[in-house]
C-alpha cells in the first residue's frame, strides 16, 4: 500500500506524498491544457506510458508515435510561466503562475507548455517527471517492497520502542500520543479519525494497531506535500537530501553564505530523526521539515536579534520606543492603575515612560493617568519598580516624561524620591553648550533622563512659575477634575514648579513649540517639544520636509489625542515617516498599531532604539515623507512573496457557534511611506482543515526599504462575529530570503504554539523603473524610455554651474547600472528563471541541461579569465545560442560597469563635495542674491535635492559594482561546483576587486 497524505485540491480527493504516488497519477493520466506558440490553448489528455519511457497526449492530429515525448529527451521541467510562450501578453492573466509548467526536450530545446487545473496537479507531474529524468524507470521506493526507506525504518523503530511487550501491537491511545509527540500542534481528534479510517479500510477494527498501520497513519498525517515537493526538487538521491544537495539548497535558495559540508552535517545531526540518516549524512522528509520549522531557518534575520546598528549617533537620530499610559491596564476612563503595566512595557524594551504626578491623599505624590482611575499608585512604588526593571531588557537610556499635576511640597518629595532611589543612574550633568547635538545612546548607557519643565535662569526662588503642558489637562477637564482656570486672554496656562524637580532636568527640557523658523534660529539641542497627535498630523501633511529637518537636531514626542478615551492607538508610521522619534503608544491596547510598533522595535536587538534612515539624518538631504514614487538616491526594491501554506491555524477567538473548520485567507500588508503602503490577499482556502494550501504569489515595490514593515494577517472568510485568526509583523530589513516559516502571533502579540505560515521570500533591486510586473519585463524593455535622474536649478548661478558638471556622470551612472540590469533579466529569463534568481542558479541550470544531453554538445566556462567566457563545442540549438549570447552581453555590460564605475563615482563625489562647500556660505549667498519667501524655500529644497541625488546615485553605482563582482564570484564558484568550469580556481584579481569602495562621509 502506498504512502499517502491528503492533498487539498487534488482531483477525486487524490492523496499524494511520495514520488510513487506522483507516478501513479501520471500512469492514470489527466487532462491538461496544451499552449501553442500562437497563445491558443487546447485541452488534451496526458498520460505516462506503462513502461515509464514516454509521455503521450490525445487527441492529436499527429500519429501516435509523434504525439509523445520520450523521458530520456527531457532536458528540464520548469514550474510557472518560464518560457516565452507562457510569458506572452495574450496569456498572462488567463491562469495563475502556479498552474503552469513546461517540459524542455530534444536537442533543439523545444518546449511543451502546459496548464493544469490546480497547483497540486502541477506539483505531481513536475515531481514525477523530474524523478524519471534522474532515475529512469527504476520504480521509486514503496513501503513493503524490497529495502525499506530511511523513513519507514525510523517510524518502525519508534513503534518497536512503544511496543513494550513485543506483541507487534500497541494500543490506539498510545499510537495517538506517539504521533502527537512527533508532530506537536496536531489535534488528537484528527489522529484518532485517521486510525479509524485505516482500520476500517484494512478490516482490522479494535483497540490496538500493528506496525504497518502505524507507519501508514504517520505518513498520511505528517507529510507536508509542499515540503516533500521541495525536497525532491533539490534531491539527487531519491527521497532525501545528501550533504551536497543540502549545501546547494542553503546557498542557492536560502541565500546563506559561507556554508560548508561540515555545517550541513551539523544540521543533519541536529534535525534528522533516523539514526541511519544521521550516520550517512542524509536529511529525509521529517528532518527537512523539522529544519524548515526551526529557529535556524527563521524568517527573521538572526543578526537583528542583537544590537546591530551604530549606537554612537546623536539621540535625535533614533526612533525611541515610547509608552503613553503604561500603568493603565484597560481604557482611559475605566482603567485601573496597576504597577504591572510598567514592568510589561519595560520588558518589551520601552525606553520612554510617561508619569503624571498628582497630589496624594497621604501627603505623598501618586501616579494615575487620569483622576478617575479606580485606584492610584504611590509615586515611590513606581520609582522603585523603574529602578528595578529599567535596564533588564535594554542597557540604553530610559527617558522618564514627568507631567506635573501636584503641589510644590509634593514635587519636592518626588524629587527626593528620584534622587534617593535612582542614585547614580540619574543623569544630571548640564548640557555641553559648545556641542550641536545630543549625546549618543552609547554614551548614555545605563542612565535615566528626566524630561520635564525647568525654571528660567532668572528665577532664584525655591519655586517659580512655568508654562504648563497641554497633555493631561484635556482629560481632567472632561472628567470634571479641572481645578485651575485657563488664564484670561487665552495665553498658556501657568503652573508652580519646585527648584528640586527643575534641577533633575538636563538633556530633555520641555519647551512649548512656536514655529519651525523660531526653532531653527533659537531652539537649543537639549530642548524638546511635545505635540498632540492632531497638531503633528497637520505638520506631517502640510510641511513634512520642515518636520523632517526639525527632527534632525531636536527630539519630538507625539502623544495621543485626548479624544481617544478608549485608549486606542494612532498609526506610528504617520510620524516616523517625518522623523518623529518618540510616538507614545498605549501599550495596553492590542491591534494593528501596536503590532507595527512592536514589530518595528524588534529590528535592533529589541533595545528600544532604531537608527533612522540616512536620508533623514544627513544635515543636507532632500526627503519628502509624502512622496508617491521612488526617492532620489534610494534604491527601490521588489519584494516577491509566495504564500504557500498554513499550519495549525486556530479558530478565531470570538467566533460564534460554527464548525471546527476555518476558511482562511492571508493578507500581506506593507506599511511605510505613502508610496509603499499596499495590501494584497490570497484566495480563500476552502474546507482546508487546519493546514490550508494557498500557493499564491504576491509582489510589492518598496521605495524606502529602511522604513517599511511587512505584516501578515490571517483571517477567516467564513466567520461569525470575529474574523481574526493570527498576525505577524516584521521590518522589511529583517526579512531572510528563501523558504521560511512565519511564527504567527495572537492579537495581543503572544506566540501561537505551532501556528505558522510557510512562505518563499525573494528581494530584488527594481528593474529599471515603474511598478514591477510579475510576468518579467521582456515585453516592456524595448518600449520603455530610460528615465535619468537630474539636478534641479537653485537660481544661484555659481551653485548651479557646479551641479551642472554632474549632468553627464549622472547619465553615465544610470546607463552603466541599467545596461547590466537589463542584460541580467534577459539571461535569467532565457534560463527559465525569475528576475529574483541568483547567478549561481543560472549557471547550475545551464549545466543541468548539458547533463541530460545525448549529443556531442559541450559548454565550458573558462575560469582562467577574470570575466569567464562561456564557450560551446558541437551543434548549438537555437535556445542555447540565445542563452550564450545573453550571457556574453551580461559579461560585457558587467565588465564595462566594473571598469568604469570608479571614474564616474569620482566625478559624482567631486560635484557633491563642491556643492557642500557652498553649504556653510548658503545663508550669506541667499542674502546677497536677495532670495526670500517662496523663492528662498525653493532654492534650499533644490540644493538639498541635488546633494541627495549625487550622493544617492554614487551609492547606487558603488552597490551595482559590488553586485557585478559578486555575480562574477558566483560564476566562478558555480562553474567549479557543477563541473563546467575549466582552468582553475576563482581568479585572485576577483577577490581583490571585491573589496568595497570607500563609503561616502555624511
Amino acid at each position: 500500500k502506498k504512502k499517502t497524505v491528503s492533498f487539498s485540491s487534488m482531483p477525486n480527493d487524490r492523496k499524494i506524498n511520495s514520488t510513487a504516488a506522483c507516478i501513479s497519477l501520471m500512469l492514470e493520466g489527466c487532462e491538461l491544457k496544451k499552449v501553442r506558440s500562437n497563445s491558443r490553448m487546447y485541452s488534451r489528455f496526458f498520460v505516462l506510458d506503462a513502461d515509464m519511457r514516454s509521455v503521450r497526449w490525445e487527441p492529436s492530429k499527429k500519429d501516435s508515435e509523434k504525439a509523445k515525448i520520450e523521458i530520456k529527451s527531457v532536458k528540464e521541467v520548469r514550474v510557472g510561466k518560464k518560457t516565452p510562450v507562457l510569458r506572452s501578453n495574450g496569456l498572462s492573466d488567463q491562469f495563475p503562475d502556479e498552474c503552469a509548467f513546461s517540459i524542455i526536450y530534444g536537442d533543439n530545446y523545444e518546449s511543451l507548455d502546459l496548464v493544469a487545473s490546480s497547483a497540486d496537479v502541477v506539483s505531481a507531474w513536475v515531481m514525477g517527471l523530474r524523478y524519471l529524468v534522474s532515475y529512469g524507470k527504476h520504480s521509486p521506493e514503496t513501503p513493503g517492497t524490497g529495502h525499506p526507506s530511511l523513513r519507514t525504518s525510523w517510524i518502525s523503530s519508534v513503534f518497536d520502542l512503544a511496543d513494550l511487550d513485543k506483541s507487534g501491537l500497541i494500543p490506539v491511545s498510545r499510537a495517538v500520543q506517539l504521533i502527537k509527540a512527533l508532530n506537536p500542534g496536531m489535534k488528537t481528534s484528527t489522529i484518532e479519525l485517521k486510525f479509524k479510517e485505516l482500520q476500517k479500510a484494512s478490516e482490522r477494527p479494535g483497540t490496538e494497531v500493528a506496525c504497518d498501520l502505524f507507519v501508514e497513519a504517520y505518513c498520511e498525517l505528517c507529510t507536508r506535500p509542499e515540503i516533500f515537493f521541495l525536497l525532491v526538487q533539490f534531491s539527487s538521491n531519491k527521497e532525501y537530501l545528501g550533504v551536497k544537495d543540502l549545501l546547494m539548497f542553503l546557498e542557492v535558495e536560502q541565500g546563506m553564505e559561507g556554508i560548508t559540508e561540515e555545517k550541513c552535517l551539523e544540521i543533519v545531526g541536529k534535525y534528522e530523526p533516523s539514526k541511519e540518516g544521521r550516520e550517512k549524512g542524509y536529511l529525509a522528509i521529517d528532518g527537512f521539515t523539522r529544519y524548515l520549522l526551526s529557529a535556524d531557518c527563521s524568517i527573521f534575520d538572526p543578526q537583528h536579534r542583537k544590537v546591530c546598528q551604530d549606537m554612537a549617533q546623536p539621540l535625535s537620530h533614533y526612533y525611541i520606543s515610547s509608552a503613553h499610559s503604561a500603568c493603565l491596564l484597560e481604557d482611559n476612563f475605566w482603567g485601573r492603575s496597576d504597577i504591572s503595566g510598567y514592568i510589561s512595557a519595560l520588558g518589551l524594551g520601552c525606553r520612554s515612560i510617561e508619569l503624571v504626578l498628582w497630589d496624594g491623599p497621604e501627603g505623598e505624590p501618586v501616579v494615575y493617568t487620569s483622576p478617575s482611575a479606580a485606584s492610584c499608585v504611590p509615586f515611590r512604588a513606581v520609582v522603585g519598580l523603574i529602578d528595578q526593571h529599567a535596564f533588564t531588557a535594554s542597557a540604553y537610556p530610559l527617558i522618564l516624561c514627568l507631567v506635573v499635576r501636584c503641589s510644590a511640597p509634593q514635587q519636592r518629595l518626588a524629587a527626593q524620591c528620584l534622587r534617593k532611589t535612582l542614585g547614580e543612574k540619574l543623569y544630571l550633568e548640564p548640557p555641553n553648550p559648545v556641542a550641536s547635538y545630543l549625546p549618543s545612546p552609547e554614551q548614555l548607557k545605563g542612565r535615566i533622563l528626566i524630561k520635564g519643565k525647568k525654571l528660567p535662569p532668572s528665577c532664584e526662588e525655591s519655586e517659580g512659575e512655568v508654562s504648563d503642558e497641554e497633555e493631561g489637562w484635556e482629560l481632567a477637564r472632561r472628567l470634571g477634575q479641572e481645578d485651575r482656570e485657563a488664564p484670561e486672554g487665552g495665553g498658556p496656562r501657568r503652573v508652580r514648579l519646585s527648584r528640586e524637580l527643575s534641577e533633575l532636568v538636563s538633556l530633555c527640557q520641555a519647551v512649548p513649540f512656536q514655529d519651525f523658523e523660531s526653532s531653527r534660529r533659537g531652539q537649543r539641542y537639549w530642548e524638546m517639544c511635545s505635540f498632540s497627535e492632531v497638531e503633528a498630523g497637520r505638520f506631517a501633511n502640510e510641511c513634512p520636509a520642515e518636520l523632517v529637518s526639525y527632527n534632525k537636531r531636536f527630539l519630538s514626542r507625539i502623544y495621543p489625542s485626548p479624544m481617544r478615551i478608549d485608549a486606542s492607538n494612532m498609526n506610528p508610521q504617520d510620524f516616523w515617516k517625518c522623523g518623529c522619534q518618540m510616538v507614545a503608544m498605549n501599550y495596553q491596547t492590542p491591534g494593528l498599531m501596536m503590532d507595527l510598533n512592536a514589530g518595528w522595535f524588534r529590528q535592533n536587538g529589541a533595545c528600544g532604539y532604531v537608527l533612522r534612515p540616512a536620508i533623514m539624518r544627513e544635515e543636507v538631504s532632500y526627503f519628502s515623507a509624502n512622496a508617491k514614487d521612488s526617492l532620489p538616491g534610494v534604491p527601490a526594491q521588489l519584494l516577491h512573496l509566495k504564500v504557500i501554506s498554513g499550519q495549525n491555524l486556530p479558530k478565531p477567538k470570538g467566533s460564534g457557534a460554527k464548525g471546527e473548520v476555518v476558511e482562511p485567507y492571508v493578507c500581506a500588508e506593507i506599511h511605510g511611506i505613502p508610496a509603499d503602503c499596499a495590501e494584497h490577499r490570497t484566495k480563500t482556502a476552502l474546507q482546508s482543515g487546519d493546514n490550508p494550501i494557498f500557493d499564491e504569489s504576491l509582489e510589492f515595490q518598496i521605495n524606502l526599504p529602511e522604513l517599511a514593515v511587512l505584516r501578515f494577517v490571517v483571517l477567516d472568510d467564513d466567520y461569525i462575529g470575529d474574523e481574526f485568526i493570527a498576525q505577524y509583523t516584521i521590518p522589511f530589513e529583517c526579512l531572510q530570503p528563501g523558504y521560511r516559516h512565519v511564527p504567527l502571533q495572537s492579537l495581543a502579540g503572544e506566540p501561537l504554539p505551532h501556528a505558522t505560515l510557510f512562505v518563499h521570500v525573494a528581494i530584488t533591486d527594481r528593474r529599471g523603473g515603474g511598478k514591477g510586473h510579475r510576468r518579467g519585463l521582456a515585453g516592456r524593455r524595448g518600449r520603455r524610455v530610460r528615465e535619468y535622474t537630474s539636478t534641479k536649478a537653485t537660481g544661484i548661478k555659481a551653485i548651479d554651474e557646479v551641479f551642472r558638471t554632474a549632468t553627464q556622470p549622472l547619465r553615465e551612472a544610470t546607463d552603466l547600472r541599467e545596461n547590466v540590469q537589463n542584460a541580467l533579466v534577459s539571461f535569467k529569463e532565457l534560463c527559465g528563471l525569475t528576475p529574483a534568481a541568483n547567478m549561481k542558479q543560472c549557471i547550475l541550470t545551464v549545466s543541468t541541461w548539458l547533463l541530460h544531453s545525448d549529443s556531442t554538445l559541450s559548454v565550458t566556462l573558462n575560469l582562467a579569465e577574470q570575466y569567464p567566457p562561456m564557450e560551446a563545442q558541437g551543434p548549438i540549438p537555437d535556445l542555447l545560442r540565445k542563452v550564450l549570447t545573453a550571457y556574453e552581453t551580461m559579461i560585457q555590460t558587467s565588465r564595462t560597469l566594473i571598469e568604469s564605475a570608479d571614474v564616474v563615482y569620482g566625478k559624482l563625489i567631486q560635484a557633491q563635495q563642491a556643492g557642500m562647500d557652498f553649504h556653510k556660505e548658503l545663508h550669506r549667498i541667499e542674502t546677497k542674491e536677495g532670495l526670500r519667501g517662496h523663492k528662498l524655500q525653493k532654492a534650499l529644497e533644490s540644493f538639498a535635492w541635488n546633494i541627495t541625488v549625487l550622493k544617492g546615485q554614487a551609492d547606487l553605482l558603488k552597490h551595482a559594482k559590488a553586485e557585478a563582482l559578486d555575480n562574477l564570484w558566483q560564476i566562478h564558484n558555480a562553474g567549479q561546483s557543477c563541473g563546467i568550469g575549466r582552468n582553475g580556481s576563482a581568479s585572485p584579481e576577483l577577490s581583490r576587486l571585491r573589496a568595497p569602495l570607500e563609503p561616502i562621509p555624511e
Side-chain angles (χ1 to χ4, degrees), residues 32-35 46 86 95 99-103 112-116 122 125 129:
L32 300 170
K33 286 191 169 74
K34 185 168 177 270
V35 185
F46 282 76
L86 289 176
F95 50 86
C99 289
F101 70 107
S102 304
I103 302 170
L112 173 63
D113 298 302
L114 301 166
V115 177
V122 171
W125 274 90
L129 284 166

Side-chain angles (χ1 to χ4, degrees), residues 680-956:
H680 296 311
R681 60 158 284 179
T682 66
K683 59 182 177 290
T684 301
L686 300 170
Q687 300 296 319
S688 58
D690 305 329
N691 303 300
I693 299 278
F694 300 106
D695 223 355
E696 203 155 335
S697 298
L698 315 170
E699 190 175 272
F700 299 90
Q701 179 173 312
I702 315 289
N703 294 291
L704 185 55
E706 288 173 280
L707 209 58
V709 176
L710 170 64
R711 182 172 184 255
F712 295 94
V713 197
V714 188
L715 300 166
D716 185 4
D717 218 355
D718 181 34
Y719 68 95
I720 299 171
D722 182 12
E723 61 177 340
F724 179 87
I725 295 173
Q727 63 83 25
Y728 182 72
T729 309
I730 179 171
F732 181 80
E733 299 279 277
C734 299
L735 284 171
Q736 290 216 93
Y739 288 93
R740 308 283 173 184
H741 280 92
V742 177
L744 294 172
Q745 297 178 341
S746 69
L747 191 64
E750 291 148 357
L752 293 168
H754 314 299
T756 53
L757 284 179
F758 186 43
V759 299
H760 181 264
V761 176
I763 297 165
T764 55
D765 286 341
R766 188 180 58 150
R767 308 177 295 285
K771 293 282 180 192
H773 285 246
R774 207 176 302 168
R775 59 176 177 271
L777 297 182
R780 293 174 65 243
R781 262 197 319 273
R783 293 196 299 273
R784 188 171 61 78
V785 177
R786 185 166 291 177
E787 292 170 14
Y788 293 97
T789 307
S790 57
T791 55
K792 292 181 177 179
T794 62
I796 302 167
K797 192 178 175 189
I799 295 177
D800 287 342
E801 278 175 8
V802 164
F803 288 132
R804 216 168 284 128
T805 62
T807 307
Q808 192 53 33
L810 280 171
R811 287 183 75 91
E812 286 172 23
T814 303
D815 286 338
L816 288 169
R817 286 189 296 105
E818 292 219 358
N819 290 345
V820 171
Q821 274 299 348
N822 290 340
L824 276 169
V825 172
S826 292
F827 179 55
K828 288 173 183 179
E829 286 187 348
L830 283 164
C831 290
L833 298 167
T834 66
N838 59 36
M839 190 49 58
K840 204 164 186 178
Q841 284 167 302
C842 297
I843 302 301
L844 294 172
T845 299
V846 174
S847 75
T848 309
W849 294 349
L850 302 168
L851 285 175
H852 299 144
S853 178
D854 292 337
S855 69
T856 52
L857 171 69
S858 75
V859 172
T860 53
L861 279 169
N862 185 354
L863 300 183
E865 296 193 30
Q866 187 184 328
Y867 301 96
M870 196 181 273
E871 298 154 351
Q873 286 84 36
I876 304 174
D878 187 44
L879 175 71
L880 200 58
R881 190 186 306 280
K882 286 179 182 170
V883 169
L884 292 174
T885 307
Y887 175 84
E888 179 61 26
T889 307
M890 181 204 61
I891 286 290
Q892 288 310 323
T893 54
S894 298
R895 181 175 189 159
T896 308
L897 167 68
I898 290 164
E899 292 175 354
S900 314
D902 289 3
V903 174
V904 179
Y905 178 91
K907 288 177 185 172
L908 291 173
I909 291 307
Q910 198 176 349
Q912 189 238 5
Q913 287 171 346
M916 282 304 286
D917 290 343
F918 281 106
H919 180 243
K920 295 180 186 70
E921 299 289 305
L922 210 52
H923 287 295
R924 186 184 61 76
I925 298 168
E926 289 161 13
T927 313
K928 187 182 164 191
E929 297 276 333
L931 294 175
R932 57 174 62 88
H934 179 68
K935 279 189 175 176
L936 172 60
Q937 190 59 38
K938 205 79 190 135
L940 291 172
E941 249 182 41
S942 296
F943 182 83
W945 165 277
N946 294 344
I947 294 294
T948 307
V949 161
L950 291 172
K951 181 186 182 306
Q953 293 295 316
D955 275 352
L956 288 177

